[in-house]
Amino acid sequence: MSSIEGPKMEALLCWAAQIGISDDPSQSPSTSIPSPSCLGHSLVVSNFSNAGGRGFAACRDLRMGELILRVPRTALLTKQSVLRDEWLASCMKKRPHLSSSQKLTICLLAEVAKGRDSRWYPYLVLLPSSYNTLPNFHEFEIHALQVEDAIWVSEKAVVRARSDWKESLVVMQEMKLKLKFLSFRSWLWASATVLLSYGTYSNLDLLEHYGFLLSSNPNDKAFLHLDIDSNISDAWSKDLLYIQPDGKPSFALLCSLRLDSTPRNLRRALGHRAFAGFFLSNENEALAMTKLVNHCCVVLDELPTKIEDDASLLSIINEVVDFGACFDRLESAFSHEEFAGFIEANGLQRESLLTAKALRSLERWRLAVHWRLFYKTILSNCLSYCRKVMSEIS
């Protein structure tokens, strides 16, 4: 935690205690003695650099099912709590078609606009000033992902965010928010801040909604568009056809490959066994693995950079972002084409220092390179898996 954030965090924890938030289940909200902090009995604030940043850590052994944090409903910043302001409520009612997420984003901006007059000021002042979610990616950073599906998801996220903002702009104008709170940049910040919930997300999902990646994510996936008979592939939803982090094809993908590798005149007879996940024969399994190997090789060969290139690039970017390595180090290590793209995208000269804007772009570039490295590693793991299977059945 920075020296600037320290006093603000102390103020937040004190404020939270005053409004009834506590990590001590033995205290009753009605009888508890005012405390300088809402934490310390069960939880502490900590930084998880490899898993999204600041969060709670246990400061004692916790038992399953134990109450570890009590938060009164009145402490929550929700659409309902903000819309107790009759003027804001009347403006919002004029646009009933807005989604819950849009309404909550508008409410957050309205509350931030109040400054110190907001009840939640101690909380709001500690929110991140920017996010690295996909809607915040610029063209250079989007194309640094390299994989067509990821680029499409990113571009769609930007379009969707801009559409949500435009639909909400009339309401915010009627609320007479200051111009800086009406901007698309402010909308991106607020929409990235509101109450999404974590789940079984792939790294691309995490990047889209939360702006970070997990180095070890069991839910990560590499989706493939294989040349499989449409009558077979259409039997499954496209989001079920993927490679797992350990390189193994998903159940749906393996079933489809096995049936596609079956002679057409035998598919009706063997279809039920293939779709049930049964091994059909050594020859069939070898054909299925060969198809998968060939496709993964084609995909890896067509991408602009190799795994080793991305790993080297990522190491250098990490030095610059985390340790402030000199700009000359950056230039000497990057491939000319991609480095030139970074320079041009951020309006820099080769001799100039990295600006704050360029450093934010560098951080998003790092995430893009990290993601594409994960993707290529999954495909590489798939090659190893397939060759191992082929070796075992030969």
Side-chain angles (χ1 to χ4, degrees):
M1 190 185 306
S2 70
S3 58
I4 296 177
E5 281 191 330
K8 292 181 179 178
M9 180 60 72
E10 291 176 8
L12 172 64
L13 298 180
C14 180
W15 167 80
Q18 292 170 0
I19 63 175
I21 298 175
S22 176
D23 72 338
D24 186 351
S26 65
Q27 287 189 356
S28 168
S30 59
T31 61
S32 60
I33 300 173
S35 169
S37 174
C38 66
L39 301 181
H41 177 79
S42 303
L43 304 169
V44 292
V45 176
S46 187
N47 186 61
F48 303 91
S49 57
N50 294 322
R54 187 169 55 207
F56 285 147
C59 60
R60 63 178 178 85
D61 291 338
L62 303 176
R63 300 187 302 274
M64 183 178 295
E66 182 180 3
L67 176 66
I68 59 172
L69 187 66
R70 183 182 63 245
V71 181
R73 183 173 293 275
T74 54
L76 302 180
L77 197 168
T78 65
K79 183 181 65 175
Q80 289 74 21
S81 60
V82 174
L83 291 182
R84 287 174 186 153
D85 183 316
E86 293 182 3
W87 166 245
L88 298 183
S90 65
C91 292
M92 198 76 77
K93 285 179 180 178
K94 296 176 182 179
R95 294 292 184 277
H97 66 281
L98 295 178
S99 68
S100 297
S101 178
Q102 286 173 299
K103 291 177 181 177
L104 187 55
T105 302
I106 294 171
C107 288
L108 175 59
L109 286 170
E111 203 61 34
V112 172
K114 294 179 182 178
R116 292 182 179 273
D117 291 334
S118 169
R119 181 194 179 202
W120 291 277
Y121 178 77
Y123 163 71
L124 297 173
V125 77
L126 269 173
L127 289 172
S129 59
S130 62
Y131 297 94
N132 290 320
T133 53
L134 285 184
N136 287 278
F137 275 45
H138 298 151
E139 184 177 359
F140 168 77
E141 298 134 20
I142 288 175
H143 285 277
L145 291 165
Q146 294 186 348
V147 179
E148 186 177 341
D149 280 355
I151 292 173
W152 179 83
V153 167
S154 304
E155 292 173 339
K156 184 180 177 183
V158 174
V159 170
R160 183 168 56 246
R162 190 170 289 276
S163 174
D164 286 348
W165 168 66
K166 288 181 176 179
E167 287 181 351
S168 306
L169 195 54
V170 175
V171 176
M172 294 189 291
Q173 289 169 336
E174 289 180 356
M175 292 164 60
K176 302 189 185 308
L177 295 184
K178 293 180 180 179
L179 284 176
K180 68 176 182 179
F181 297 112
L182 299 176
S183 68
F184 182 52
R185 181 177 178 180
S186 291
W187 179 265
L188 285 178
W189 173 84
S191 61
T193 300
V194 300
L195 310 163
L196 294 170
S197 60
Y198 288 96
T200 54
Y201 287 162
S202 70
N203 270 333
L204 189 59
D205 293 328
L206 290 174
L207 188 54
E208 178 179 2
H209 298 296
Y210 301 102
F212 70 89
L213 305 170
L214 293 177
S215 297
S216 180
N217 184 355
N219 302 310
D220 208 6
K221 300 176 176 69
F223 292 97
L224 295 179
H225 300 287
L226 288 163
D227 183 19
I228 294 177
D229 189 317
S230 60
N231 292 326
I232 297 173
S233 60
D234 288 349
W236 304 96
S237 171
K238 300 299 181 186
D239 60 358
L240 296 178
L241 304 175
Y242 59 85
I243 303 298
Q244 300 172 154
D246 60 2
K248 295 179 181 179
S250 66
F251 179 85
L253 180 57
L254 183 56
C255 293
S256 299
L257 284 166
R258 284 171 172 168
L259 190 56
D260 191 65
S261 301
T262 301
R264 289 182 179 273
N265 62 330
L266 297 178
R267 287 180 184 173
R268 181 180 293 274
L270 296 176
H272 67 288
R273 289 182 56 80
F275 282 129
F278 286 111
F279 179 92
L280 300 182
S281 70
N282 285 353
E283 182 183 9
N284 176 272
E285 199 75 359
L287 285 172
M289 294 299 104
T290 299
K291 284 179 183 286
L292 198 48
V293 165
N294 291 341
H295 185 80
C296 288
C297 286
V298 168
V299 172
L300 288 170
D301 288 344
E302 289 181 347
L303 292 173
T305 56
K306 308 298 182 188
I307 289 180
E308 52 271 22
D309 300 327
D310 292 341
S312 175
L313 176 58
L314 187 61
S315 175
I316 303 303
I317 297 178
N318 286 339
E319 287 186 36
V320 177
V321 173
D322 296 335
F323 306 109
C326 65
F327 197 55
D328 289 342
R329 173 73 169 136
L330 189 71
E331 181 175 6
S332 63
F334 287 5
S335 64
H336 173 74
E337 183 177 355
E338 196 160 5
F339 177 71
F342 172 76
I343 294 293
E344 182 180 355
N346 290 281
L348 299 174
Q349 300 297 323
R350 288 186 175 275
E351 300 79 17
S352 62
L353 296 175
L354 291 176
T355 62
K357 173 178 175 289
L359 282 171
R360 289 193 295 270
S361 175
L362 190 65
E363 177 61 38
R364 293 190 293 266
W365 185 13
R366 170 165 71 166
L367 287 167
V369 175
H370 211 161
W371 182 86
R372 78 195 197 201
L373 177 59
F374 284 151
Y375 179 88
K376 294 171 191 177
T377 300
I378 291 177
L379 296 191
S380 179
N381 290 343
C382 184
L383 294 178
S384 299
Y385 169 78
C386 291
R387 288 164 180 160
K388 179 175 181 291
V389 171
M390 293 166 71
S391 173
E392 289 174 349
I393 62 178
S394 62

